[in-house]
PDB file of all heavy atoms in Angstrom:
ATOM      1  N   LEU A 197     -41.689 109.828 -37.052  1.00  0.00           N
ATOM      2  CA  LEU A 197     -42.340 110.785 -36.176  1.00  0.00           C
ATOM      3  C   LEU A 197     -41.390 111.847 -35.661  1.00  0.00           C
ATOM      4  O   LEU A 197     -41.808 112.892 -35.162  1.00  0.00           O
ATOM      5  CB  LEU A 197     -43.030 110.070 -35.019  1.00  0.00           C
ATOM      6  CG  LEU A 197     -44.191 109.148 -35.392  1.00  0.00           C
ATOM      7  CD1 LEU A 197     -44.711 108.432 -34.130  1.00  0.00           C
ATOM      8  CD2 LEU A 197     -45.308 109.957 -36.065  1.00  0.00           C
ATOM      9  N   SER A 198     -40.089 111.582 -35.800  1.00  0.00           N
ATOM     10  CA  SER A 198     -39.094 112.574 -35.421  1.00  0.00           C
ATOM     11  C   SER A 198     -38.915 113.658 -36.465  1.00  0.00           C
ATOM     12  O   SER A 198     -38.198 114.649 -36.218  1.00  0.00           O
ATOM     13  CB  SER A 198     -37.749 111.899 -35.108  1.00  0.00           C
ATOM     14  OG  SER A 198     -37.327 111.151 -36.246  1.00  0.00           O
ATOM     15  N   ALA A 199     -39.553 113.476 -37.625  1.00  0.00           N
ATOM     16  CA  ALA A 199     -39.516 114.511 -38.681  1.00  0.00           C
ATOM     17  C   ALA A 199     -40.527 115.599 -38.330  1.00  0.00           C
ATOM     18  O   ALA A 199     -41.448 115.408 -37.481  1.00  0.00           O
ATOM     19  CB  ALA A 199     -39.855 113.896 -40.028  1.00  0.00           C
ATOM     20  N   TYR A 200     -40.360 116.757 -38.962  1.00  0.00           N
ATOM     21  CA  TYR A 200     -41.270 117.855 -38.723  1.00  0.00           C
ATOM     22  C   TYR A 200     -42.678 117.468 -39.166  1.00  0.00           C
ATOM     23  O   TYR A 200     -42.856 116.992 -40.288  1.00  0.00           O
ATOM     24  CB  TYR A 200     -40.802 119.118 -39.466  1.00  0.00           C
ATOM     25  CG  TYR A 200     -41.707 120.281 -39.254  1.00  0.00           C
ATOM     26  CD1 TYR A 200     -41.930 120.816 -37.946  1.00  0.00           C
ATOM     27  CD2 TYR A 200     -42.379 120.891 -40.312  1.00  0.00           C
ATOM     28  CE1 TYR A 200     -42.736 121.891 -37.760  1.00  0.00           C
ATOM     29  CE2 TYR A 200     -43.199 121.982 -40.103  1.00  0.00           C
ATOM     30  CZ  TYR A 200     -43.396 122.455 -38.814  1.00  0.00           C
ATOM     31  OH  TYR A 200     -44.217 123.542 -38.637  1.00  0.00           O
ATOM     32  N   GLN A 201     -43.666 117.657 -38.274  1.00  0.00           N
ATOM     33  CA  GLN A 201     -45.042 117.199 -38.524  1.00  0.00           C
ATOM     34  C   GLN A 201     -45.925 118.202 -39.248  1.00  0.00           C
ATOM     35  O   GLN A 201     -47.017 117.858 -39.690  1.00  0.00           O
ATOM     36  CB  GLN A 201     -45.725 116.784 -37.207  1.00  0.00           C
ATOM     37  CG  GLN A 201     -45.056 115.617 -36.492  1.00  0.00           C
ATOM     38  CD  GLN A 201     -45.111 114.345 -37.327  1.00  0.00           C
ATOM     39  OE1 GLN A 201     -46.208 113.886 -37.700  1.00  0.00           O
ATOM     40  NE2 GLN A 201     -43.959 113.759 -37.637  1.00  0.00           N
ATOM     41  N   GLY A 202     -45.445 119.382 -39.398  1.00  0.00           N
ATOM     42  CA  GLY A 202     -46.265 120.398 -40.074  1.00  0.00           C
ATOM     43  C   GLY A 202     -46.266 120.202 -41.582  1.00  0.00           C
ATOM     44  O   GLY A 202     -45.254 119.811 -42.165  1.00  0.00           O
ATOM     45  N   LEU A 203     -47.393 120.481 -42.233  1.00  0.00           N
ATOM     46  CA  LEU A 203     -47.498 120.415 -43.691  1.00  0.00           C
ATOM     47  C   LEU A 203     -48.084 121.704 -44.201  1.00  0.00           C
ATOM     48  O   LEU A 203     -48.863 122.368 -43.546  1.00  0.00           O
ATOM     49  CB  LEU A 203     -48.388 119.220 -44.078  1.00  0.00           C
ATOM     50  CG  LEU A 203     -47.922 117.800 -43.698  1.00  0.00           C
ATOM     51  CD1 LEU A 203     -48.994 116.788 -44.085  1.00  0.00           C
ATOM     52  CD2 LEU A 203     -46.607 117.474 -44.391  1.00  0.00           C
ATOM     53  N   ASP A 204     -47.732 121.999 -45.449  1.00  0.00           N
ATOM     54  CA  ASP A 204     -48.419 123.045 -46.171  1.00  0.00           C
ATOM     55  C   ASP A 204     -49.639 122.413 -46.859  1.00  0.00           C
ATOM     56  O   ASP A 204     -49.503 121.447 -47.612  1.00  0.00           O
ATOM     57  CB  ASP A 204     -47.515 123.636 -47.239  1.00  0.00           C
ATOM     58  CG  ASP A 204     -46.648 124.762 -46.722  1.00  0.00           C
ATOM     59  OD1 ASP A 204     -47.024 125.325 -45.667  1.00  0.00           O
ATOM     60  OD2 ASP A 204     -45.628 125.077 -47.318  1.00  0.00           O
ATOM     61  N   ILE A 205     -50.822 122.972 -46.600  1.00  0.00           N
ATOM     62  CA  ILE A 205     -52.048 122.440 -47.187  1.00  0.00           C
ATOM     63  C   ILE A 205     -52.569 123.464 -48.204  1.00  0.00           C
ATOM     64  O   ILE A 205     -52.833 124.609 -47.885  1.00  0.00           O
ATOM     65  CB  ILE A 205     -53.124 122.211 -46.101  1.00  0.00           C
ATOM     66  CG1 ILE A 205     -52.579 121.259 -45.025  1.00  0.00           C
ATOM     67  CG2 ILE A 205     -54.404 121.642 -46.701  1.00  0.00           C
ATOM     68  CD1 ILE A 205     -53.480 121.091 -43.828  1.00  0.00           C
ATOM     69  N   LEU A 206     -52.665 123.013 -49.441  1.00  0.00           N
ATOM     70  CA  LEU A 206     -52.988 123.906 -50.533  1.00  0.00           C
ATOM     71  C   LEU A 206     -54.252 123.434 -51.282  1.00  0.00           C
ATOM     72  O   LEU A 206     -54.487 122.231 -51.393  1.00  0.00           O
ATOM     73  CB  LEU A 206     -51.816 123.978 -51.544  1.00  0.00           C
ATOM     74  CG  LEU A 206     -50.462 124.387 -50.935  1.00  0.00           C
ATOM     75  CD1 LEU A 206     -49.389 124.307 -52.025  1.00  0.00           C
ATOM     76  CD2 LEU A 206     -50.516 125.778 -50.356  1.00  0.00           C
ATOM     77  N   CYS A 207     -54.998 124.410 -51.778  1.00  0.00           N
ATOM     78  CA  CYS A 207     -56.154 124.116 -52.630  1.00  0.00           C
ATOM     79  C   CYS A 207     -56.285 125.259 -53.644  1.00  0.00           C
ATOM     80  O   CYS A 207     -56.166 126.420 -53.318  1.00  0.00           O
ATOM     81  CB  CYS A 207     -57.436 124.030 -51.793  1.00  0.00           C
ATOM     82  SG  CYS A 207     -58.925 123.712 -52.761  1.00  0.00           S
ATOM     83  N   GLU A 208     -56.478 124.878 -54.923  1.00  0.00           N
ATOM     84  CA  GLU A 208     -56.601 125.874 -55.961  1.00  0.00           C
ATOM     85  C   GLU A 208     -57.918 126.649 -55.891  1.00  0.00           C
ATOM     86  O   GLU A 208     -58.039 127.727 -56.487  1.00  0.00           O
ATOM     87  CB  GLU A 208     -56.415 125.217 -57.320  1.00  0.00           C
ATOM     88  CG  GLU A 208     -55.005 124.680 -57.576  1.00  0.00           C
ATOM     89  CD  GLU A 208     -54.850 124.144 -58.970  1.00  0.00           C
ATOM     90  OE1 GLU A 208     -55.843 124.063 -59.697  1.00  0.00           O
ATOM     91  OE2 GLU A 208     -53.719 123.736 -59.309  1.00  0.00           O
ATOM     92  N   ASN A 209     -58.914 126.072 -55.233  1.00  0.00           N
ATOM     93  CA  ASN A 209     -60.232 126.671 -55.179  1.00  0.00           C
ATOM     94  C   ASN A 209     -60.535 127.173 -53.793  1.00  0.00           C
ATOM     95  O   ASN A 209     -61.355 126.573 -53.051  1.00  0.00           O
ATOM     96  CB  ASN A 209     -61.296 125.676 -55.640  1.00  0.00           C
ATOM     97  CG  ASN A 209     -60.998 125.101 -56.986  1.00  0.00           C
ATOM     98  OD1 ASN A 209     -60.357 124.071 -57.113  1.00  0.00           O
ATOM     99  ND2 ASN A 209     -61.488 125.764 -58.046  1.00  0.00           N
ATOM    100  N   LEU A 210     -59.876 128.247 -53.396  1.00  0.00           N
ATOM    101  CA  LEU A 210     -60.036 128.750 -52.043  1.00  0.00           C
ATOM    102  C   LEU A 210     -61.424 129.379 -51.817  1.00  0.00           C
ATOM    103  O   LEU A 210     -61.859 129.537 -50.673  1.00  0.00           O
ATOM    104  CB  LEU A 210     -58.958 129.788 -51.725  1.00  0.00           C
ATOM    105  CG  LEU A 210     -57.537 129.244 -51.643  1.00  0.00           C
ATOM    106  CD1 LEU A 210     -56.554 130.357 -51.391  1.00  0.00           C
ATOM    107  CD2 LEU A 210     -57.419 128.175 -50.579  1.00  0.00           C
ATOM    108  N   ASP A 211     -62.129 129.695 -52.870  1.00  0.00           N
ATOM    109  CA  ASP A 211     -63.504 130.195 -52.721  1.00  0.00           C
ATOM    110  C   ASP A 211     -64.471 129.057 -52.417  1.00  0.00           C
ATOM    111  O   ASP A 211     -65.568 129.246 -51.929  1.00  0.00           O
ATOM    112  CB  ASP A 211     -63.970 130.932 -53.966  1.00  0.00           C
ATOM    113  CG  ASP A 211     -63.947 130.045 -55.192  1.00  0.00           C
ATOM    114  OD1 ASP A 211     -63.101 129.091 -55.237  1.00  0.00           O
ATOM    115  OD2 ASP A 211     -64.750 130.280 -56.113  1.00  0.00           O
ATOM    116  N   ALA A 212     -63.994 127.810 -52.656  1.00  0.00           N
ATOM    117  CA  ALA A 212     -64.830 126.644 -52.406  1.00  0.00           C
ATOM    118  C   ALA A 212     -64.429 125.911 -51.108  1.00  0.00           C
ATOM    119  O   ALA A 212     -65.274 125.408 -50.377  1.00  0.00           O
ATOM    120  CB  ALA A 212     -64.755 125.663 -53.581  1.00  0.00           C
ATOM    121  N   ILE A 213     -63.142 125.850 -50.866  1.00  0.00           N
ATOM    122  CA  ILE A 213     -62.603 125.164 -49.643  1.00  0.00           C
ATOM    123  C   ILE A 213     -61.758 126.164 -48.903  1.00  0.00           C
ATOM    124  O   ILE A 213     -60.725 126.637 -49.366  1.00  0.00           O
ATOM    125  CB  ILE A 213     -61.763 123.948 -50.036  1.00  0.00           C
ATOM    126  CG1 ILE A 213     -62.576 122.938 -50.833  1.00  0.00           C
ATOM    127  CG2 ILE A 213     -61.208 123.298 -48.769  1.00  0.00           C
ATOM    128  CD1 ILE A 213     -63.727 122.303 -50.064  1.00  0.00           C
ATOM    129  N   GLU A 214     -62.215 126.511 -47.679  1.00  0.00           N
ATOM    130  CA  GLU A 214     -61.452 127.405 -46.814  1.00  0.00           C
ATOM    131  C   GLU A 214     -60.540 126.568 -45.914  1.00  0.00           C
ATOM    132  O   GLU A 214     -60.972 125.540 -45.388  1.00  0.00           O
ATOM    133  CB  GLU A 214     -62.372 128.266 -45.991  1.00  0.00           C
ATOM    134  CG  GLU A 214     -61.641 129.245 -45.078  1.00  0.00           C
ATOM    135  CD  GLU A 214     -62.585 130.111 -44.271  1.00  0.00           C
ATOM    136  OE1 GLU A 214     -63.761 130.293 -44.701  1.00  0.00           O
ATOM    137  OE2 GLU A 214     -62.194 130.568 -43.189  1.00  0.00           O
ATOM    138  N   ILE A 215     -59.287 126.979 -45.761  1.00  0.00           N
ATOM    139  CA  ILE A 215     -58.324 126.227 -44.944  1.00  0.00           C
ATOM    140  C   ILE A 215     -57.884 127.097 -43.801  1.00  0.00           C
ATOM    141  O   ILE A 215     -57.326 128.193 -43.946  1.00  0.00           O
ATOM    142  CB  ILE A 215     -57.076 125.839 -45.817  1.00  0.00           C
ATOM    143  CG1 ILE A 215     -57.502 125.038 -47.021  1.00  0.00           C
ATOM    144  CG2 ILE A 215     -56.088 125.081 -44.949  1.00  0.00           C
ATOM    145  CD1 ILE A 215     -56.377 124.797 -48.020  1.00  0.00           C
ATOM    146  N   ASN A 216     -58.137 126.586 -42.556  1.00  0.00           N
ATOM    147  CA  ASN A 216     -57.685 127.223 -41.317  1.00  0.00           C
ATOM    148  C   ASN A 216     -56.830 126.240 -40.555  1.00  0.00           C
ATOM    149  O   ASN A 216     -57.366 125.317 -39.922  1.00  0.00           O
ATOM    150  CB  ASN A 216     -58.864 127.705 -40.473  1.00  0.00           C
ATOM    151  CG  ASN A 216     -59.632 128.847 -41.116  1.00  0.00           C
ATOM    152  OD1 ASN A 216     -59.056 129.730 -41.750  1.00  0.00           O
ATOM    153  ND2 ASN A 216     -60.968 128.833 -40.955  1.00  0.00           N
ATOM    154  N   ASP A 217     -55.527 126.401 -40.654  1.00  0.00           N
ATOM    155  CA  ASP A 217     -54.595 125.411 -40.073  1.00  0.00           C
ATOM    156  C   ASP A 217     -54.875 124.051 -40.665  1.00  0.00           C
ATOM    157  O   ASP A 217     -54.746 123.868 -41.860  1.00  0.00           O
ATOM    158  CB  ASP A 217     -54.664 125.430 -38.552  1.00  0.00           C
ATOM    159  CG  ASP A 217     -54.190 126.734 -37.959  1.00  0.00           C
ATOM    160  OD1 ASP A 217     -53.258 127.355 -38.547  1.00  0.00           O
ATOM    161  OD2 ASP A 217     -54.729 127.194 -36.942  1.00  0.00           O
ATOM    162  N   ASN A 218     -55.325 123.116 -39.838  1.00  0.00           N
ATOM    163  CA  ASN A 218     -55.625 121.756 -40.329  1.00  0.00           C
ATOM    164  C   ASN A 218     -57.126 121.524 -40.507  1.00  0.00           C
ATOM    165  O   ASN A 218     -57.574 120.397 -40.719  1.00  0.00           O
ATOM    166  CB  ASN A 218     -55.092 120.697 -39.379  1.00  0.00           C
ATOM    167  CG  ASN A 218     -53.563 120.640 -39.363  1.00  0.00           C
ATOM    168  OD1 ASN A 218     -52.944 121.165 -40.273  1.00  0.00           O
ATOM    169  ND2 ASN A 218     -52.986 120.076 -38.354  1.00  0.00           N
ATOM    170  N   THR A 219     -57.899 122.565 -40.425  1.00  0.00           N
ATOM    171  CA  THR A 219     -59.350 122.456 -40.573  1.00  0.00           C
ATOM    172  C   THR A 219     -59.782 123.018 -41.904  1.00  0.00           C
ATOM    173  O   THR A 219     -59.344 124.121 -42.322  1.00  0.00           O
ATOM    174  CB  THR A 219     -60.077 123.198 -39.426  1.00  0.00           C
ATOM    175  OG1 THR A 219     -59.681 122.623 -38.201  1.00  0.00           O
ATOM    176  CG2 THR A 219     -61.590 123.084 -39.595  1.00  0.00           C
TER     177      THR A 219
END
Side-chain angles (χ1 to χ4, degrees):
L197 294 177
S198 55
Y200 180 61
Q201 296 297 303
L203 297 175
D204 273 340
I205 304 172
L206 305 175
C207 179
E208 293 184 354
N209 305 91
L210 293 178
D211 60 331
I213 301 294
E214 182 180 334
I215 303 171
N216 292 324
D217 294 327
N218 292 342
T219 300

